[in-house]
Amino acid sequence: MHIDYFRVVLSLALCLGLGVGAIYLLRSRFRGLSSRVARDLSLLESLQIDPRTAVHVLGYKGERLLLTTRDNAIHVTALRSADADAASEPAPQDDAADTNTGTDATAANAAEPHAGARAS
C-alpha cells in the first residue's frame, strides 16, 4: 500500500483554507450581531470591612447605590448623586455682611437654654 503524501498535505491545506474562509465570512457577515450591549450596572468601589462584612458602591443609570453585605443579609441604600449634591449646596454668602449678625446669633443660641426643657 502506497500513501501519496502530496495528496494528504494538499487535502489538509484545502480543509484548513476552507475553515479559515468560512470563519472570516461568518465574522464579517454577522459582525453587528455580536456587538456588546451597553450595561447600566457597574461596580464603582468595593471595601472588605471584615471577613463577614463588605461594602460596595454600585452605579445604576446615573444613580449610586450603597450595598452592604453581612453574613446572609444584604442592605441597599440609595446615595445622593454628585449632581444632586452640587444643586443642593447653598450659594456662598458675603462674609462681610454677616460677620456681626451671624456670630451674635450663634453665641446667643448657645448661651440660652431651651425653654421647652425647663418648662417640665
Side-chain angles (χ1 to χ4, degrees):
M1 183 162 158
H2 181 32
I3 298 177
D4 189 9
Y5 291 107
F6 179 72
R7 281 187 157 179
V8 171
V9 171
L10 187 63
S11 298
L12 181 63
L14 182 65
C15 289
L16 288 176
L18 284 174
V20 169
I23 290 171
Y24 177 75
L25 181 67
L26 290 174
R27 288 181 86 193
S28 64
R29 181 159 176 102
F30 298 110
R31 188 172 302 272
L33 298 177
S34 66
S35 64
R36 288 188 175 182
V37 177
R39 294 184 178 213
D40 292 332
L41 184 65
S42 63
L43 177 65
L44 301 175
E45 193 167 345
S46 184
L47 178 66
Q48 187 76 28
I49 305 295
D50 60 41
R52 299 183 312 167
T53 307
V55 178
H56 312 280
V57 179
L58 303 174
Y60 180 70
K61 292 187 178 181
E63 295 185 22
R64 288 184 171 192
L65 302 171
L66 180 68
L67 183 76
T68 307
T69 58
R70 179 170 177 92
D71 294 333
N72 293 332
I74 298 173
H75 184 71
V76 179
T77 306
L79 299 176
R80 293 174 58 182
S81 64
D83 297 338
D85 289 341
S88 67
E89 288 182 12
Q93 297 179 355
D94 186 13
D95 291 336
D98 293 334
T99 49
N100 291 336
T101 57
T103 55
D104 292 341
T106 305
N109 288 339
E112 262 183 58
H114 294 290
R118 289 194 173 193
S120 34

